[in-house]
Amino acid sequence: SGMAGRFLLEIRRGTQSALLIIRYQAELPKSSLDVSVAADCLEVRIGGSCESVALPAGVRLVPYSCRGLRCLPGDGLHLRLRLRPLPPSADLFYNLKESLKPQKNYIFYCQSCGDIIAKGRKFLRVLPLPSENWSALVEEWCCHPNPFARSTLHPQHDDCFLGDTFILLNSGKESDKSKEDTRVICKRCKTVLGEAVASETIKYYVTEVIIQPSEKSFSPAPRSQFIQSMVAQCLVELSSAKSTFRFTIKGDNGKIYILVWLLNSDTLLVESLGSSSSQSVFTLFGDTSMPSSGAVGAWNAVKVLYQPCIQNRNKDLADAWEKDIGVHSLKFPSETCLELLLILALSTTSLPPSLQGMNSFQV
């Protein structure tokens, strides 16, 4: 009872295709399972139990395209389908770089506790920083000595510089530096927000601060959801701009915590509340995303392969990636790297067993 209608639908927007997994207990005889696929709903009958689940608006299946039917122990029933064209996707993440504008007043909040870090900051310039190896590129292109060799890209009082995983501001008295090192910490919850990179320059990591216009009230976001959104932004933007899909996630201590290989960013996950994987997923995304009983949830997502590197795991592979010019490094506070690793692990365990790994990587 109650086992019918539990499913996971993994959709690729680019190919208009989907993998449907109907979850059921391994001990149930296959002859008692009956699945009906309609354009806008799924119906599953197991013995005397029947449940019909409506798909989210805009998601329409092509019922007669079903193929690749197979049963996997521990997973359930797998089949592939085609989809009718999907509506344009909503933004996958909050785009910080597009939301910051000159001549507007902003308040900086600690993402963890909501304490105000900087108040009434108004920027005359909001500028993207060049890539980290820009100086070496200048030397390759110039036929004379590098004219910028003695220059440093430090923001003036009314500047905001945007990096891959951080923003640079002219320092003020808004945050405390710890006495042991150059880390910038929140006065209230002592979370690491960034670091002082020069006498008048502070680097804030995008995973640690929320920046909102002064006229807008503070709206907190679940921690794990915020981290996922900001890391997804970094991965998608860099893969698009630089055609790089492999990343090392480094802590502010210089250690590699995770190796990440971006597979795609056009995934749409549709899942019924009752499926065995959904409890982990809904907890992961925060209570605000939990639908009512019997409903389905849908999320735009990035799909990645990853390898943990803590406690010297995968050291040889990490060393090889470190030397590979095709791998891009992303730096976050060490505590955030551990949080991200936990989020990835929970996401992996929420998937059916057959989808949790690819080659030697976790999904």
Side-chain angles (χ1 to χ4, degrees):
S1 176
M3 286 303 298
R6 299 183 177 186
F7 74 91
L8 173 67
L9 191 64
E10 182 182 327
I11 296 170
R12 289 292 307 276
R13 288 182 176 275
T15 58
Q16 300 291 322
S17 61
L19 170 64
L20 172 63
I21 302 177
I22 306 291
R23 313 295 296 275
Y24 63 89
Q25 291 177 338
E27 63 269 19
L28 288 172
K30 299 181 180 65
S31 59
S32 68
L33 181 66
D34 181 39
V35 181
S36 298
V37 179
D40 58 353
C41 70
L42 298 169
E43 185 179 271
V44 180
R45 301 173 188 268
I46 299 181
S49 175
C50 176
E51 186 172 337
S52 180
V53 181
L55 297 175
V59 178
R60 293 294 178 267
L61 304 175
V62 181
Y64 295 106
S65 66
C66 294
R67 59 184 175 82
L69 183 66
R70 58 179 180 152
C71 289
L72 294 180
D75 276 16
L77 186 70
H78 286 230
L79 60 138
R80 294 191 174 275
L81 305 103
R82 303 288 299 173
L83 279 87
R84 303 190 193 281
L86 291 164
S89 62
D91 288 338
L92 180 63
F93 42 72
Y94 163 72
N95 195 318
L96 175 65
K97 295 181 180 180
E98 291 184 3
S99 64
L100 283 174
K101 303 293 182 185
Q103 304 298 340
K104 288 189 68 176
N105 284 309
Y106 291 96
I107 298 178
F108 287 60
Y109 299 91
C110 170
Q111 199 283 323
S112 297
C113 72
D115 194 31
I116 294 178
I117 303 165
K119 194 172 183 179
R121 293 299 299 261
K122 188 177 190 178
F123 305 114
L124 297 180
R125 299 190 303 173
V126 179
L127 302 172
L129 286 168
S131 60
E132 57 187 350
N133 59 343
W134 69 275
S135 184
L137 293 176
V138 170
E139 292 179 353
E140 294 293 331
W141 282 92
C142 287
C143 58
H144 50 80
N146 184 352
F148 305 107
R150 296 183 179 180
S151 302
T152 52
L153 295 177
H154 293 311
Q156 301 302 310
H157 180 69
D158 296 320
D159 290 342
C160 177
F161 291 173
L162 304 174
D164 293 337
T165 63
F166 60 88
I167 60 174
L168 290 184
L169 300 180
N170 192 268
S171 60
K173 298 180 180 180
E174 298 88 356
S175 298
D176 292 335
K177 285 192 299 180
S178 66
K179 295 179 181 179
E180 302 84 28
D181 51 37
T182 60
R183 295 185 303 169
V184 176
I185 62 175
C186 173
K187 295 177 182 178
R188 179 191 288 175
C189 68
K190 307 306 179 185
T191 296
V192 176
L193 304 173
E195 58 185 293
V197 295
S199 60
E200 296 183 350
T201 303
I202 287 184
K203 173 196 288 186
Y204 288 115
Y205 291 103
V206 296
T207 52
E208 313 308 317
V209 296
I210 292 179
I211 307 170
Q212 293 186 335
S214 297
E215 66 272 11
K216 187 177 179 182
S217 60
F218 176 69
S219 55
R223 176 68 178 159
S224 63
Q225 186 177 344
F226 186 80
I227 292 177
Q228 290 179 80
S229 177
M230 300 313 293
V231 173
Q233 172 183 325
C234 295
L235 296 178
V236 173
E237 285 187 351
L238 287 169
S239 64
S240 175
K242 302 183 178 182
S243 295
T244 182
F245 303 96
R246 290 182 296 159
F247 303 87
T248 55
I249 306 297
K250 281 187 175 181
D252 51 10
N253 55 7
K255 295 182 179 179
I256 297 178
Y257 282 78
I258 319 171
L259 306 178
V260 174
W261 197 326
L262 177 64
L263 283 185
N264 64 68
S265 57
D266 66 343
T267 293
L268 175 65
L269 288 178
V270 179
E271 190 171 21
S272 63
L273 180 58
S275 74
S276 59
S277 64
S278 65
Q279 294 182 6
S280 298
V281 171
F282 282 107
T283 302
L284 188 64
F285 278 80
D287 294 339
T288 55
S289 297
M290 186 177 291
S292 58
S293 179
V296 295
W299 303 271
N300 291 310
V302 294
K303 188 172 185 179
V304 301
L305 305 179
Y306 71 96
Q307 289 273 26
C309 295
I310 57 174
Q311 299 175 338
N312 285 327
R313 293 178 62 183
N314 299 300
K315 187 178 185 306
D316 291 342
L317 184 60
D319 290 343
W321 280 35
E322 183 81 343
K323 300 172 185 176
D324 193 328
I325 61 172
V327 177
H328 195 84
S329 178
L330 298 178
K331 184 179 177 183
F332 300 102
S334 300
E335 295 85 352
T336 301
C337 295
L338 291 173
E339 287 182 271
L340 178 60
L341 186 56
L342 176 60
I343 289 169
L344 287 168
L346 289 172
S347 178
T348 298
T349 57
S350 75
L351 294 171
S354 67
L355 302 184
Q356 292 182 9
M358 184 179 293
N359 296 330
S360 61
F361 286 80
Q362 299 178 68
V363 178

